[in-house]
Amino acid sequence: MDQFHIVLKDYANWKMENVEILEKLKANDSMIYDRLEPVYKVLNAIYEEAVEQRDLTEDMRTIFQVGLNYLHTQFEVIRIYYEKLFQSDCHRFEHYSPLMGYLLFISDFRADLEEYDEDLIDFSDLNDVETLIENMIAEKDDNFQYAADRLNKAIDEIVNQLDFEYVSIIDIFVEIAENLNVELSTHKEPFIIGEEV
């Protein structure tokens, strides 16, 4: 069994463990599901192609591996909040999904900055905002606009320090989905820096 077949098996296991939560989020028109859908559906399409015994290109294998790693990381965070803090109550969890989305966005943003020298970036404001959002979720504080404003300010400061344009992994997978003719729900990325947050 080659290395990629192990990755495919990992995905099948991941899906078995998480499909129930994913389907509940989807049924509740969750912003969190909307956020993950491009990655999830692209992985499903590639998985089905692999199962049909088609040889996948190196690019497809890479896309699959990156997407699976991403879902693993994001779902670790989602499950902790969903199961522990909200006792698997999808309705209550969904009410705080804007804050959850901000936390997941921060995680993505940090991962994308790993290649930069940490001494070049002042993360203090972003760290403060992350703690603020975690506390807001724990305390069931739904002042979402305040959190969004603070997050935008922190992200803008970092983007200005580095003078770069941020493109999220979600945006990349939306593009991959289009190229693979994978149909997505009306996809709106609700956690983008700038006025859209």
Side-chain angles (χ1 to χ4, degrees):
M1 186 183 290
D2 78 358
Q3 190 65 38
F4 190 67
H5 280 88
I6 295 167
V7 176
L8 289 172
K9 202 170 175 193
D10 276 354
Y11 178 64
N13 291 335
W14 179 88
K15 201 170 165 182
M16 275 194 303
E17 283 173 28
N18 296 294
V19 72
E20 189 182 331
I21 295 174
L22 266 174
E23 289 303 322
K24 273 188 187 173
L25 293 174
K26 183 180 179 183
N28 278 278
D29 279 333
S30 171
M31 292 167 83
I32 301 300
Y33 178 81
D34 282 352
R35 177 181 178 73
L36 298 176
E37 185 195 48
V39 183
Y40 180 55
K41 285 208 169 168
V42 165
L43 290 187
N44 276 342
I46 296 173
Y47 182 81
E48 283 170 23
E49 200 167 311
V51 167
E52 288 169 11
Q53 300 303 315
R54 294 201 187 140
D55 262 349
L56 297 177
T57 64
E58 200 54 49
D59 282 351
M60 289 299 227
R61 289 174 176 233
T62 302
I63 288 167
F64 192 87
Q65 182 70 68
V66 168
L68 181 56
N69 290 345
Y70 179 76
L71 283 184
H72 264 302
T73 306
Q74 296 272 290
F75 245 79
E76 275 175 33
V77 176
I78 290 166
R79 283 188 83 110
I80 289 166
Y81 282 94
Y82 180 77
E83 292 174 350
K84 303 279 189 295
L85 195 62
F86 293 99
Q87 282 78 47
S88 301
D89 181 334
C90 200
H91 184 71
R92 283 175 64 227
F93 177 80
E94 183 52 29
H95 180 73
Y96 293 93
S97 65
L99 295 176
M100 278 303 308
Y102 300 156
L103 272 189
L104 297 173
F105 174 86
I106 290 170
S107 165
D108 290 357
F109 189 68
R110 282 187 193 285
D112 287 345
L113 293 179
E114 279 174 359
E115 66 195 59
Y116 287 90
D117 182 348
E118 286 207 20
D119 297 335
L120 293 175
I121 309 169
D122 178 5
F123 278 111
S124 56
D125 204 24
L126 188 64
N127 295 340
D128 291 347
V129 173
E130 188 170 28
T131 302
L132 167 84
I133 293 169
E134 288 168 347
N135 290 339
M136 285 176 74
I137 296 171
E139 294 160 13
K140 311 292 193 291
D141 179 346
D142 57 8
N143 191 350
F144 303 144
Q145 191 55 54
Y146 176 68
D149 293 343
R150 286 285 309 272
L151 177 57
N152 277 326
K153 185 171 173 287
I155 298 293
D156 285 343
E157 281 176 17
I158 292 172
V159 169
N160 292 335
Q161 285 172 50
L162 297 175
D163 190 30
F164 84 124
E165 188 179 338
Y166 176 64
V167 179
S168 77
I169 190 167
I170 304 294
D171 293 331
I172 293 165
F173 269 83
V174 167
E175 206 171 298
I176 293 168
E178 284 170 10
N179 292 335
L180 296 178
N181 294 320
V182 172
E183 199 171 310
L184 301 177
S185 308
T186 308
H187 186 75
K188 291 195 175 98
E189 171 55 61
F191 311 117
I192 305 249
I193 54 170
E195 65 283 353
E196 291 129 271
V197 168

